[in-house]
Every structure is written in structure tokens, then in C-alpha cells.
Amino acid sequence: MLTSKFSCCLVAHLAILLGLLLLGTCKGQNWSSFQTKHIDFPKSSASNPNAYCDLMMKRRNLNPTRCKPRNTFVHASQSEIQNVCSSKGTHYKDNLYDSEEDFPLTDCKNVGGTSPDNCKYIGTPGTKRIRVACENNKPVHFELVLATL
Ligand SMILES: *[C@@H]1O[C@H](CO)[C@@H](O)[C@H](O)[C@H]1NC(C)=O
């Protein structure tokens, strides 16, 4: 009785774990997709921050079926950003890490338009700390832009 209860529980837990793993994979949370979505270094040129966002969201194909409501591009090298997961980051909770240093970045917020190629954005440039989720010491998810201390 006890054994079957235990194995049932174990199976349930394994199923949940597998589900979470699949979910993670489906959402494309890996270092490679993080770079596509969130790293633009050196920063691509555009006439202004709004035009920059319109261009980059299209160039990186981030609006395949709908205009992504929000996306942040960080203008720093892969290694600098990767270091947030280790020597240059502070553990926040779970697998989330906060950068110790500010990064130049552009925050893009959708204000209409049509996917895939004509989504309209308001771009806000800034230099801020960032919070990312890490797996195997590499960022796989951009959580948010932190207010500067
Ligand atoms: C990373 O995620 C992307 C987007 O979902 C996917 O196409 C790619 O195969 C994944 N790469 C790895 C190494 O898992």
C-alpha cells in the first residue's frame, strides 16, 4: 500500500518535471535564443530609438505571429552578459541573477502595427542593471530591467 502510494507520487513528480522541461524547451529558453532576442552588440544603427526597435524586432524575426509586447536589447558582448550568471552577478532567487553592473540597453514597447514585419515600437534607451535566468552558467531568459541603485 505504502509502496504503491510512493511510486504513484514519484510518477506524478516525474511527469511534472518532464512537463516543466518540455515547457522550457517549447518556450525556446536557451542561450542561443537569448542572444537572438536580447543581444545587439555593437548596437545596430538606426535614426532614432523607435526606428531602432522597429528594425531590430523585424530583423531578429521576433514577431512571427503577433507583435511581441515588449523586448529588451542589451548592447554588450556575449561574455559580459554571460558573466552575470557567475562572477558579475548576484543571486536573486531560483535561477535568477542580477547584474552587478549597468548595461547600455534599449527597451522596446509595442504600440501597434501588424506582424510579422510592421510592428511599431517605442524605444527607450538606458543604462541599467538587468535580471536574467541562468542555466549551466548561461542566460536563457531575460527577466527584467532593474532600477539603478
Ligand atoms: C533553442 O531554442 C530555439 C527556439 O525555440 C530552438 O529552435 C533551438 O533548437 C534551441 N536550441 C537548443 C540548443 O536547444
Side-chain angles (χ1 to χ4, degrees), residues 25-30 32-33:
T25 318
C26 286
K27 282 166 83 184
Q29 296 201 340
N30 58 48
S32 157
S33 62

